[in-house]
Amino acid sequence: SQQGEEDPQALSIQEGENATMNCSYKTSINNLQWYRQNSGRGLVHLILIRSNEREKHSGRLRVTLDTSKKSSSLLITASRAADTASYFCATGPGNTGKLIFGQGTTLQVKP
Amino acid sequence: NAGVTQTPKFRVLKTGQSMTLLCAQDMNHEYMYWYRQDPGMGLRLIHYSVGEGTTAKGEVPDGYNVSRLKKQNFLLGLESAAPSQTSVYFCASSFAGEIYEQYFGPGTRLTVT
């Protein structure tokens, strides 16, 4: 069964707007990661946030983590057409060697 | 560095046929993973390995076998392919477990008729 659930499943915005995607999970975690997948390609790691962190930034990406609510959000600011992709959250429960991926959010950025 | 490579990129099998998917990484990573991706299902872990000579079952291991004879290679075998195994298969590697990012290969698109 999937650990992470992304919301929304699909998102369509105009270039320049901000995009927010949410991820909820069920069990305690060691860390949470976000990945991007362009159509027909493999996943690419974006950012990792540890369970003792609340917010992390990387360029136009901002990730928050609320362990009390078992949720995370990914914000992409000033979106570009090149940001069009599917975005997945993945959780590391800790000491398992594995990540558990959610079903993803498909983002379309219209030029 | 090539990163993670997968062979082949595409394959069509008939029901009952067998095949092996090859994954290779040149980053000296300890951990390697095989996932399948189906529409609306995200990625599901098939098998993984925490080091040379070791393998472990993931979420959906039935119908698949794996081997990690060399640290840089992770093989996924289908002994008797079924239409339900039609999917895109991704290999990934990481330095050491879930506290590190995973690096993914480009995928293998498999169709079983």
Side-chain angles (χ1 to χ4, degrees):
Chain A
S1 62
Q2 299 294 330
Q3 160 86 311
E5 297 284 340
E6 282 97 337
D7 172 61
Q9 289 189 332
L11 181 60
S12 181
I13 59 175
Q14 294 294 133
E15 208 166 26
E17 293 180 339
N18 295 342
T20 300
M21 288 158 268
N22 303 296
C23 171
S24 60
Y25 56 92
K26 298 174 184 175
T27 63
S28 62
I29 60 170
N30 176 286
N31 70 82
L32 187 144
Q33 303 183 30
W34 285 91
Y35 288 79
R36 183 187 74 231
Q37 183 181 32
N38 291 92
S39 181
R41 308 291 290 273
L43 278 71
V44 174
H45 181 264
L46 294 176
I47 196 165
L48 180 154
I49 186 165
R50 302 189 196 285
S51 60
N52 61 354
E53 297 176 310
R54 292 296 169 259
E55 188 170 311
K56 203 162 184 179
H57 296 254
S58 176
R60 293 184 296 112
L61 305 180
R62 172 177 170 255
V63 169
T64 62
L65 179 64
D66 187 335
T67 54
S68 66
K69 295 182 179 179
K70 292 186 169 57
S71 68
S72 173
S73 68
L74 171 67
L75 169 67
I76 304 174
T77 60
S79 63
R80 306 166 181 168
D83 295 327
T84 294
S86 293
Y87 292 82
F88 295 87
C89 68
T91 52
N95 299 320
T96 66
K98 302 180 289 185
L99 286 177
I100 303 174
F101 286 82
Q103 296 180 4
T105 293
T106 299
L107 172 65
Q108 182 185 30
V109 181
K110 300 176 184 176
Chain B
N1 288 349
V4 179
T5 58
Q6 292 183 231
T7 308
K9 289 185 170 51
F10 302 94
R11 185 73 185 268
V12 178
L13 287 180
K14 294 185 177 178
T15 297
Q17 288 184 321
S18 63
M19 77 164 294
T20 300
L21 282 67
L22 171 63
C23 175
Q25 53 94 4
D26 61 2
M27 296 173 282
N28 202 33
H29 285 170
E30 289 293 334
Y31 285 57
M32 296 187 74
Y33 309 84
W34 275 108
Y35 297 92
R36 60 177 289 172
Q37 185 176 34
D38 303 293
M41 296 292 291
L43 271 78
R44 292 184 291 171
L45 182 64
I46 304 171
H47 286 281
Y48 65 107
S49 168
V50 302
E52 181 179 312
T54 74
T55 63
K57 294 181 180 180
E59 183 185 358
V60 288
D62 293 343
Y64 305 94
N65 57 75
V66 288
S67 64
R68 182 102 181 266
L69 299 179
K70 293 183 178 181
K71 186 177 184 178
Q72 62 268 34
N73 296 337
F74 195 28
L75 279 62
L76 177 71
L78 286 72
E79 294 180 341
S80 179
S84 60
Q85 294 178 304
T86 293
S87 188
V88 181
Y89 292 85
F90 288 99
C91 176
S93 70
S94 73
F95 179 67
E98 74 271 18
I99 62 173
Y100 294 91
E101 65 184 278
Q102 292 188 8
Y103 293 79
F104 281 79
T108 295
R109 186 173 296 275
L110 174 67
T111 302
V112 183
T113 61

